[in-house]
Structure formats: structure tokens, C-alpha cells
Amino acid sequence: MDRRITKKDDDASDKGRPTLKTLAFMTGLGVTTVSRALKDAPEIGAETRRRVQLVAKQIGYRPNRAGVRLRTGKTNVISLVLNTEHELMSFVSDIIYGVTEVIADTPYHLIVTPYSRSQDPLDPVRYLVETGSADGVIISRTQPNDPRARYMLERGIPFATHGRTDMGLVHPYHDFDNYAFAGEAVRALAGKGRTRLALVTPPVGLTYYRHTVNGFADALSEVGASEVPFNTVSIDQSIEQIRMRTAQLMRRKDRPDGFVSSAAAATLAVVAGIEDAGLQLGRDVDVVSKQSSKLLHLFRRELLVVNENFRLAGSELARAVLGWIGGADPGTLQSLSTPSEVLPYRG
Amino acid sequence: MDRRITKKDDDASDKGRPTLKTLAFMTGLGVTTVSRALKDAPEIGAETRRRVQLVAKQIGYRPNRAGVRLRTGKTNVISLVLNTEHELMSFVSDIIYGVTEVIADTPYHLIVTPYSRSQDPLDPVRYLVETGSADGVIISRTQPNDPRARYMLERGIPFATHGRTDMGLVHPYHDFDNYAFAGEAVRALAGKGRTRLALVTPPVGLTYYRHTVNGFADALSEVGASEVPFNTVSIDQSIEQIRMRTAQLMRRKDRPDGFVSSAAAATLAVVAGIEDAGLQLGRDVDVVSKQSSKLLHLFRRELLVVNENFRLAGSELARAVLGWIGGADPGTLQSLSTPSEVLPYRG
DNA sequence: CCAATATACTGAAACGTTACAGATTGCCAA
DNA sequence: TTGGCAATCTGTAACGTTTCAGTATATTGG
């Protein structure tokens, strides 16, 4: 009953932002009550609850992240782990935008955790887990047997992968159906009478490399076309490398008359290489390419494109991680995006 | 003297990560001593200091961010504020990579704070400042009279702008010299005998719009060329818009014979528009464009390009913010990047 | 009418860190 | 010897939050 006004209590007029103590002072309640009232705890009277929430809204109370984090361990952070040393990763911004779109009306912040080519990809993940810097993690460049996924599964930290794994372990992911993409691409080329096809593969070692290669191979035998090996090239090589190797290939007598390319930037290089060899797109050879922006048709209208939506990927990944953090079953947080049909240039 | 081992003291074997208390227990010192020893405080004996630091390193001690943040208010976070609703912001990933490069060996984390077109650009900044979510902020799309810069200056929170302001207020920035770029571009076109030039401007309202327009105008009169107004177009319009408007312009009798374009994506659209009108790049018209990736020459080898390095921009911006946080004079944290010469295609 | 119980609220402790105000020791000058 | 002082080290409190273990009051059942 002796609620004396001490030095500690009169901070309502302090310069800082309002805290639970401020709210407690204003409402005449204890901090505990205020805390519980704000999160709709059942043991707080309905009227008190409304009153506290009203005052909180009025003065613009925002929980102090450090306080919450220190007490509960909850960071309200999700981390996007990125390899920062690959030539052309324009889609990265799309993924980021997709993620922020989803977390916009949650208390979550997005931190970007980079790692360089020289580092073990496990390093940044280990750092995040060891320092408890995030409640959830999103990784890309996923491998069939991915040590990062295994590690996080062991440590029990929620995560989602961009691309699937193949370890018999279940976890959230979002993936583009690259098997279907490669298949559609081959069929489209076959439809144009192309019979000798080359594949510009994803980086060897990543899961979607296998998916793409398999989709390509299966469709080849389905349509009765043959493969022209082009193993010296993959999309994370430099533009110059791809261009040069393509030109070499196209100068050979047994050159392909069709390409399937797994990335837009690589496609630019491939086309340049084709033209370096004195050949013409649409006449001597056709190219089907994935793209994330809508720009390839401006580049050469003869290109055939399939769109991959990375913004959607970002959103799905964010949704998946948040879902897992929220206690959902990881097995239900997996999604696969079906490629659009193969699109020719139109007007 | 009666240092009894209580329940609280024996947490050295706890499952959690080591804290100052763990370190104190292991070294037999007090937490205060350990804390100060780790930050090289002068009142700690040299040997003790070494001993503490050794043990800390051995067991992999990492300060708890929440603890530090709660106690000191220091978040060890810098925020990059981004507009997430502009067509093609492939350079965003470059800026991010540039930033992460610089903060990699600091305790700082990078958070991405988005805002959409419909929002007041001041909103995210206000949020960051009010919630104390970051020690420093990086903003882009800077305006001559930028309310965000003014706001942060008032609140005393360190920041850096990508692009300059023009309010008579001093703050860190990094900018590309767009005045010089536009001038060089005009001179290059004049060197090719082009005399009727159009400018594809940056977004109206941003500071570098003025810089670009002025550089363009001054160089025009310098070389004695004339401007073909093209005010209906700026680089943050849609590809389709730019393409259509360019085609319209090029079908007119008084069409330009040269373009200066402030962004690579817009350039693709402009070239498409030129070709829609039945004209040919290099013969009927020349185009000088800025680019951040190295891809424009693959698109059309007749293009003339000037490179803008956004990764560098990110690094400079990060350095500037960290500098200001570290107490440096904001006036010394300004940098301007000089454009490369205008580059024609080479092999 | 009393005890049991439900309802509504509360203070204290803890998370990990740093700042403040000592405390202990040894040494030197007077 | 004593007072002063420098060199080292230490406990306590505080940052804002949530959880634990209550307390006080009203309500119910017998």
C-alpha cells in the first residue's frame, strides 16, 4: 500500500522512449501487469487490458528489442546468408525484397550475412548459431548433401533453403522446378526442329544442377534429340569464359543447334559467343534461357525465355522460416514453383 | 574475502555460451575486472589483461549483443534503407556487398529496411531512429532538400547518403560525379559527329537529376550541340514506357542522333525503341549509357558505356557511417567517384 | 460463517553488460 | 610511524523485459 514516489518512479517525463515502467506509472499498475496486459494474458481484467493497450498505443510504446532479446533469447531477426563473390547476382535484390515484403508487418528485422568464396560456407551459419544472432536463417546455393542444413537441423535452429537437399532430412525449402524447366526448354527447341542440344548448367555441386541435368536428359530421349556435351561451362563462370568456350564450341563441325541456359547473364555470354563464331540466333541456333528480369527479349528477340520469380522465392522462404519459428511442421513448409511456359518474343 | 561458491557461480559448465561470469569464474576474477581487461582498460594489470584475453580467446567468448545493447544503447547495427518498388535495382546487391565488405571485420550487422512507393520515405528512417534500431543509417535516392537527412541531423544519428544534398548542411555522402558523366557522354557523342542529343534523365527530384541535366546542358553549349527535349522519360519508368516513348520520338522528323542514358536498364529500352522505329544503332544514332555490370557491350557492341561502381559506393558509404559513429568529422567523410572515360566496345 | 478457490494484480529475480563508487594492497614522503 | 597516493581489483546497480512465486480481495460451496 505504501507506493511512495521514489526517484525511480518518476521517469514518465524522461527524454527517452516509453518503457513498461513508463506505462506502469501512467496507468498506476505494476510493470508485470502492464507486460501481461499487452500480450493479452488471460489473468488480466478485461478493462485493465483495454486501458493499458490504449495508453500504450497513445504514447507509441514499442518494446525494447534488447530487453526482450536479453530476457527471452528471441532476437526477432532473420538472416539471409549470401555468397558475395559471384559475378552477377542481380536476383539477390529480388530475394531481399521478397523477404522484406513478408516480414514487413512483423517485428522481424532482416540481416544480411555475407561470406566470400574463400570461406567455408558453413562459417557464417556457425557464426549465426553460436552467437544466437538470429531466430531463423535463409540459405541459398543449396547442395544435395548440405552441411549447413545438417548443422542447423542438429542445433535446432529454424531455417529454409533456396533449393532442395537430398539427405533424407526434412526441412522447409523453396525451389524452382528446374527439372520441368529443362524439360520444357528441350521440348520447345525440339518443336523448332532443333536436334543437337547443349546445356549451360547451374554450378556443379548444387542440387539444382542435378535437377536441371536430369530434366534435360529425360526430355532429350523423350523427343529423340541428342546432347552436345558442354561440360566446361556453368553459369557461375565469368562472362568472358562462357563467351570464349561457346565460340569454341560453335566453330566445331559437330556444334549444337540449340542451347538451354540456366541464367540470363550466362545467356548473354552464350549469344555473344555464338555471334563471335559467325552464326546467327534463330537461324543457325536457338536458345532457351531462364531469366528473372524481363530484359532478355530486349537483348535478342529471337531468344526463348522462361521466367523465374525470385521475389516470390524470397517471400516463400521468409514465410517458411517464420512458419517454422512459429511452431509449424517443417514438412508443410516446402514449396515448388512451376516454370512458366517457354515464351517467344511478342511485339 | 569470503568468496563462497554459490549456485550462481558454478555456471562454467552450463550448456550456454560463455559470458563474462564464466570468464570471471575461470580466471578467479570479478566480472568487472574481466570486462575491463577485455577492452584494454589502463587500470588493469598487464599480466591480468593478457591472461583474461587468452582465456577469452581459448573458450571463444563473444560479448552478448543484447547485453551490450541494453546497457549501452549501442546496437552494432547499421541499416540500409531501400525503396523496394523500383523496376530494376540490380545495383542494390552491389551496394549491399560493398557494405558487407567493409563491416565484415567489425562487430556490425547490416539490416535492410525497406519502404514502398506508397510510403513516406521518412517513415523507415523515423522508425529506425525512434526505436533506436541502428547506430547508423545509409539512404539512397537522395534529394537536394532531403527531409530524411535533415531529420537524422536533428536527431544526431550518424548516416550517409548515396548522392549529395543541397541544403547547406554538412553530412557524409558518396556520390558518382554525374555532372562529369553527362559532360563526357556529350563530348563523346560530339566526337562522333552527333549534334542533336537527347537525355534519359534520372528520376526527377533526386539530386543527381540536376547534376546530370546540368552536365548535359553545359557540355552541349561547350561542343555546340543542341538538345532534343525528352522530358517525358526518366529511368525509373517502366521498360515498356521508355521503349514506346523512344520509338515515338525517333519517328519524328526532328529526332535526335544521340542519346545519353543514366541507367543500363533504360538503355535497353531506348535501344529497343530506336530499333522499333526502324533505325540502327551506330549508323543513325549513338547511345552513351552508364552501366554497373559489364553487360551492355554484349547487348549491342555499338553502345558507348561509362561504368559506375556500386560496390565501391557501398563500401564508401559504410566507411563513412562507421567513421561518423567513430567520432570523425562528418565533413571529412564525403567522397565523389569520377566516371571512367567513355568506353567503346573492344573485341 | 468459514474455508477453499478463483480473480486480479504485484515485487523480486534474472538475462549479460558497463559505470560508479568503493576496497585492498603496497610504497613513499614526511 | 603515519598519512597519502597510485595501482589493482571488486560489488552493486542499472538498462527493459519476462517469469516465478506470491498477495490481496472477492466469490463460492458446504
Side-chain angles (χ1 to χ4, degrees), chain A residues 122-138:
Chain A
L122 195 50
D123 280 354
V125 172
R126 223 189 265 118
Y127 167 82
L128 289 170
V129 171
E130 282 176 1
T131 61
S133 288
D135 298 332
V137 176
I138 297 173

Side-chain angles (χ1 to χ4, degrees), chain B residues 252-333:
Chain B
R252 287 167 49 179
K253 175 159 47 263
D254 57 343
R255 66 170 186 249
D257 59 5
F259 279 91
V260 176
S261 169
S262 296
T267 302
L268 300 189
V270 165
V271 170
I274 289 171
E275 294 172 350
D276 288 345
L279 300 173
Q280 192 184 322
L281 198 63
R283 188 191 60 188
D284 306 308
V285 58
D286 275 305
V287 177
V288 180
S289 174
K290 266 204 294 188
Q291 70 171 356
S292 56
S293 52
K294 299 289 168 54
L295 300 177
L296 276 183
H297 273 150
L298 294 179
F299 173 60
R300 295 288 185 275
R301 55 185 59 182
E302 296 81 7
L303 284 172
L304 304 169
V305 303
V306 174
N307 293 315
E308 177 171 6
N309 187 340
F310 283 99
R311 190 156 186 154
L312 172 69
S315 297
E316 286 297 312
L317 288 165
R319 252 186 285 274
V321 188
L322 293 188
W324 198 356
I325 292 174
D329 173 11
T332 66
L333 300 167

